[in-house]
Amino acid sequence: VWGDPIGHSLSPAMHTAAYALLGWDWTYGRRRVDEASFADELASLGPEHRGLSLTMPLKHVAYAVAAQHDARATLTGAANTLVRSGSGWYAFNTDAGGIVAALAEAGVVAADRARIVGAGATASAALVALSEIGVRQVWIAARRPAAAAPLRDLGERLRLRVDAVPLDSPTHASVDVTIATLPGGVSVDESVADRLAAAGGTLLDVVYGHWPTDLSRAWDRIGAPAQGGAGMLLHQAVLQIRAFASGGVDQPLPREDEVVAVMRRALVGD
C-alpha cells in the first residue's frame, strides 16, 4: 500500500492475515510515496509485484496511469487499487463497494434520501455507493458548497438529484442515511453536529483512526445508529484481494467468510 502519510495504515495486517489463511505465498507491505515520486516508483516495480493499494494522495494519479478502469473507478475518476494487466495496469475503485458492504452491515441495504458530509475525494465513492442502494436524492453538506460541483456532475451521470448546502445550515432535510467523509481529526461544532444527527438517519462515518468523532457523538446523544469506517476499510480490502487474485472484484475468494473474519480480527488487533 502506497500513500503519504502511510505509517498508520492497517492494510498490511489485514492482507497478511488473509494470505496466511488462504495459504498464499504473498507478501504485502507499505511504502511512503507522494504524487511527485509516484511515476518513478511505479516504473521501478518488477514483474513479481502483482498489484498495489493506493491511499491519499495517489488515487487520481493511479487512475490516470492505468490503461483500463472498472466502472466505479471510471465514475469517480479515482482508483485505490492497481492490478497488473499485460504490460499495463488495471485500475479499480473498491471504496464504493466497501461502503455498500459497510452500510449493509449497519442494516442499510436500500434508501431513498441521503446526505454526504464533506465534498472531498471519498465523497465521490460515497455517491456511487448510494446510487447502488437505490438512493435518488442526495444533499452534500460542505463548508464550501461550491466544492460540490463535481459531485453534482457525477449525480447527473448517476441519475441522482444532488444539492449542495452549507454544513452549518440552520436546517437540514430529513434523510435515511448519512455518510460522513470528513478526514480524521476534523472538528464539527456541536450545534451543527446535533442538527445533522436530528435529521440524519443511520450514520456511516468513514473515519476509523479517530473514534469517536464529533458526528458520532451527536448521533449517540439521540440514540441513533452510528458506525465507524472500519467496516468500509475491511470490505474494500476484501475486494482488493479479489482483484489481486482474479483480475476482477466479482469472483468471491475461497473460504471468503473465514477470510473476512480473520481480516476483521487483524483490524482490531486481536
Side-chain angles (χ1 to χ4, degrees):
V1 58
W2 291 2
D4 185 19
I6 199 61
H8 67 288
S9 176
L10 299 175
S11 293
M14 288 192 296
H15 280 256
T16 299
Y19 303 163
L21 178 71
L22 293 167
W24 294 352
D25 186 21
W26 291 7
T27 59
Y28 185 104
R30 62 168 66 90
R31 186 182 301 181
R32 184 178 178 182
V33 178
D34 59 18
E35 288 182 272
S37 61
F38 175 77
D40 287 342
E41 293 282 359
L42 191 68
S44 74
L45 296 182
E48 71 277 11
H49 291 88
R50 183 179 295 264
L52 295 168
S53 304
L54 294 313
T55 187
M56 296 304 292
L58 302 177
K59 294 182 181 182
H60 294 292
V61 292
Y63 177 90
V65 79
Q68 298 172 279
H69 308 84
D70 79 339
R72 289 163 171 161
T74 299
L75 284 166
T76 60
N80 70 331
T81 310
L82 290 176
V83 178
R84 283 202 183 275
S85 177
S87 60
W89 297 96
Y90 198 126
F92 297 85
N93 184 312
T94 69
D95 286 336
I99 291 171
V100 170
L103 288 173
E105 285 192 339
V108 181
V109 296
D112 183 60
R113 294 152 58 93
R115 178 176 299 108
I116 297 172
V117 180
T122 308
S124 60
L127 194 60
V128 170
L130 290 170
S131 75
E132 293 183 13
I133 66 168
V135 170
R136 306 313 308 164
Q137 168 78 66
V138 178
W139 286 269
I140 310 295
R143 286 188 169 89
R144 296 186 303 106
L151 295 171
R152 286 196 295 269
D153 294 340
L154 176 56
E156 289 184 7
R157 286 184 280 148
L158 294 170
R159 298 184 179 180
L160 296 178
R161 178 175 175 179
V162 176
D163 294 311
V165 297
L167 182 64
D168 59 357
S169 173
T171 59
H172 287 283
S174 179
V175 296
D176 305 308
V177 59
T178 296
I179 300 178
T181 67
L182 299 174
V186 171
S187 63
V188 179
D189 183 82
E190 184 173 304
S191 63
V192 172
D194 286 342
R195 287 197 295 270
L196 289 166
T202 297
L203 172 69
L204 172 62
D205 194 322
V206 303
V207 169
Y208 63 88
H210 297 77
W211 193 262
T213 64
D214 290 341
L215 290 177
S216 72
R217 291 188 185 95
W219 260 254
D220 186 61
R221 282 193 286 273
I222 62 172
Q227 177 173 301
M232 172 191 168
L233 182 68
L234 167 66
H235 290 292
Q236 65 82 28
V238 173
L239 295 177
Q240 286 186 333
I241 298 173
R242 286 185 183 183
F244 295 152
S246 67
V249 298
D250 296 329
Q251 180 64 42
L253 298 167
R255 302 164 62 193
E256 184 160 289
D257 288 346
E258 296 174 62
V259 171
V260 171
V262 76
M263 291 174 70
R264 196 185 303 275
R265 290 195 295 272
L267 184 61
V268 298
D270 184 2

